Amino acid sequence: MNNFTIGMTYLSGHIPIAIIYAISVFWAKYKGELECSDFFIWLSIFYLFISSAAGYYIYKAYSDQLEDLQKGNGGTRYIIKPTQIKNLFTSDAMNYYILPLAAFAASDDLVKTSLILLVLTIIYGISFIRERMNLYTPFLILFGFVLFSCEIQDEDNSNKHEITILTKDPQKLVFGHSYKAVLQKLNNTTSLAIIQYDD
């Protein structure tokens, strides 16, 4: 997983903040309380556009990879045994979004708020990338992606070990049951998976 994709993951989680920021800017303009209104309007539009584009990029990247696996393009076949759901939005990951939002909400001065938001977004974005938190965004949850731990082994029942799997809409999944799956590695500990359910 490259730094660009991790950065897009981080920005995709900023969609709610960008929406609130845009509403605040347009409301301040409507009330006549906004100086340099054109600058802040374009800034809010840019912020909303870049976070939405990041969300679309992440959704498309994972969806396309799953579609390729479904068609038999790439991936490796394994037997998996799901053991535990994992949080896509952990308390540690929440800090990357909650703190900029809290700083934003704490000030009535739009200029100061914009500056705080910009600085925190850059600082936390760099930290997010360096810690390689490529899956921790609320955006993936909204589109049905689920992260869980599972035991995996080769189809000949050898080389058993535990990894984390990301998949979409695993509605028929039963924990403790074994399934055939096609896995595509995302990083050293996590793989994207197409699960073949028993009919």
Side-chain angles (χ1 to χ4, degrees), residues 106-188:
S107 176
D108 293 330
D109 184 340
L110 201 55
V111 175
K112 189 187 294 182
T113 297
S114 301
L115 191 57
I116 291 170
L117 197 54
L118 176 64
V119 171
L120 287 178
T121 298
I122 291 170
I123 291 172
Y124 283 119
I126 291 169
S127 179
F128 193 93
I129 291 168
R130 286 186 176 169
E131 292 186 21
R132 307 200 69 75
M133 300 179 70
N134 53 296
L135 297 172
Y136 297 100
T137 172
F139 187 79
L140 289 175
I141 299 169
L142 296 177
F143 286 91
F145 285 90
V146 176
L147 193 67
F148 58 89
S149 300
C150 69
E151 293 177 358
I152 71 165
Q153 58 190 36
D154 299 332
E155 288 192 305
D156 59 2
N157 293 326
S158 64
N159 192 24
K160 182 185 287 188
H161 58 285
E162 187 159 316
I163 66 165
T164 301
I165 282 180
L166 178 69
T167 192
K168 190 176 180 185
D169 298 323
Q171 296 173 359
K172 300 178 183 177
L173 194 71
V174 177
F175 284 89
H177 188 75
S178 294
Y179 300 91
K180 291 182 179 179
V182 182
L183 274 56
Q184 179 74 51
K185 195 172 183 181
L186 292 174
N187 58 37
N188 291 334

Side-chain angles (χ1 to χ4, degrees), residues 32 40 46 49 63-64 111 151 179 194:
F40 286 105
F46 175 74
F49 171 79
S63 294
D64 286 352
V111 175
E151 293 177 358
Y179 300 91
I194 286 291

